[in-house]
Structure formats: C-alpha cells, structure tokens
Amino acid sequence: MEQFMTPDFWVAVGQIILIDIVLGGDNAVVIALACRQLPPAQRTKGILWGTAGAIVLRVILIFFALTLLAIPYLKLVGAALLVWIGVKLLAPDHEDGHGNIQGSDKLWSAVKTVIVADLVMSIDNVIAIAGAAESAGGDHKMPLVIFGLLVSIPIIVWGSQLVLKLMDRFPIIITVGGMLLGWIAGTMAVTDPAVTHLIAQTDTLKYAAGISGALLVLAIGKWVTRGRTPAPSA
C-alpha cells in the first residue's frame, strides 16, 4: 500500500489524466458519432458499453506496451513517436477523419464501432500512458494505468465539451500537454536498456532529459506552425 502513497505515483497519475484529456477529445467525438443514430433510450447504453470495451482494450494494449518497452531500443522509438505526437498537438494539420465514422441504429453495432475506432485512434494514448507509467517505476505500473484511465475516461466522455471549450479559451493547456509528452519522451529515452549501461542513471540526467524533450517539442511545434503561416500579401 505504501507504493501508492509515493509522490512519483501521484505525479504519474496526474500525467495520465492530462494525457487522456488532451489526447482524448477525438475519442469523445468518435463515441458521439457512433451512437448518434441510436434511439435516445439506448444512447447512454451505447456510450457506456462502448467506453467500457474501449477501456478494457486500452488496458490490454498498454500491458503489452509496458512489456515491449523492456526490449532495447524500443523506448527510443517510443520517445521519437511521443515527440512527433507532441508536435502534432502543437501544430495540428486540421485534417478531419471523423467523416468515416458511421453511426448505427443498432446498439451492439454502435458499440463495436466505438471499440474498433478507439483501437485505431489509441496508439498515441497507449504510448504516452505507458511512458508515464514507466516514469513512476516500481511494481505498480498496471494499477497506476488502470486508476489513471478510470479517472480520466469519465472526464472525456461526459466532460468533453467543457474540456474542448477550456482548450479553446486557454491554449496554454495544449502547449502544456505537448510539452508533457516531450518530457515523457526525454525521460523514456534515457532509461532505454540500450542507454542505461552507457550512462549512469541519476535524477539530474532524468530531469535534464525531460526538460530537453519538452523544449524540443515546443521548439519544433513553433517552427512548424510558423512555416505554415501564410506570408502577408503585398
């Protein structure tokens, strides 16, 4: 029980919740689109069962991700993916793929749509949450993942509109989310098995790598955004 009272545990829980809030907006949209043609009396059931299935599937995926992260060089690959995801968060390309989500007037068909669509869209969440759980260390990674998901999923499903409005009003939330992914990427990279036997693992190294990753995502995101800004007409 003591391991659940450590600061690292609660920091990681906070990271998982923020990751899911920032990256989970699309998942909330998918749930709404998949259930939109259900009779009103069945929509709540569709949302609940679809969300439950998505949570179970995501926990399974994260379990395998945590196992794979023990293989040399895979943390480096995961770190690179997190940097890319963080940059996309700060400099979105505004492509909307939600038009491919087909609503259904059958409950279990809608639930299946939610689960399959969430599987396709969850790779960013899975990698980021696995990285956050890794940073907590110890033997409580899966309880940490499950607890973080259980807390954040209701926020996404029932508070998605509020979250989206807050992110529109306070863009700093997006920036913080992107930099958090960079922080996790940096701390993940230096703990790769291929790196740990080359570099002594210290708190200073961990913090320096995290700060470097956060600043890298911020710098690349701003650079990409500036490159997409059209030049003023003469």
Side-chain angles (χ1 to χ4, degrees), residues 9-205:
F9 178 87
W10 290 106
V11 167
V13 167
Q15 289 178 344
I16 289 174
I17 292 172
L18 182 57
I19 288 166
D20 255 336
I21 289 173
V22 173
L23 296 180
D26 279 350
N27 302 71
V29 172
V30 164
I31 292 170
L33 289 174
C35 298
R36 70 187 185 276
Q37 292 183 13
L38 287 175
Q42 290 190 326
R43 281 179 192 163
T44 301
K45 288 183 180 178
I47 290 170
L48 290 176
W49 281 109
T51 302
I55 291 173
V56 171
L57 189 61
R58 195 172 300 187
V59 168
I60 294 170
L61 289 174
I62 293 170
F63 171 79
F64 283 109
L66 286 169
T67 303
L68 291 174
L69 287 178
I71 300 174
Y73 301 107
L74 279 187
K75 280 189 180 181
L76 295 175
V77 174
L81 284 171
L82 282 180
V83 169
W84 176 68
I85 294 165
V87 170
K88 281 189 66 180
L89 197 60
L90 297 184
D93 54 16
H94 299 295
E95 290 184 1
D96 186 0
H98 298 142
N100 296 324
I101 305 298
Q102 299 298 318
S104 173
D105 58 359
K106 301 289 188 296
L107 176 61
W108 293 110
S109 179
V111 169
K112 183 184 72 174
T113 299
V114 170
I115 294 173
V116 172
D118 188 80
L119 171 63
V120 173
M121 297 170 59
S122 285
I123 187 63
D124 53 355
N125 301 64
V126 167
I127 295 171
I129 290 172
E134 275 282 320
S135 70
D139 300 322
H140 50 274
K141 293 171 186 173
M142 282 313 297
L144 169 62
V145 166
I146 294 169
F147 181 76
L149 286 175
L150 289 177
V151 172
S152 57
I153 291 294
I155 297 174
I156 294 168
V157 175
W158 287 285
S160 58
Q161 292 304 312
L162 174 60
V163 170
L164 292 173
K165 287 178 182 177
L166 283 174
M167 287 195 281
D168 284 340
R169 184 165 182 178
F170 304 106
I172 188 67
I173 297 175
I174 303 292
T175 303
V176 169
M179 293 181 71
L180 171 62
L181 293 178
W183 172 279
I184 294 172
T187 57
M188 181 189 289
V190 295
T191 57
D192 187 281
V195 176
T196 52
H197 73 279
L198 298 175
I199 306 173
Q201 298 293 299
T202 64
D203 287 342
T204 301
L205 175 66

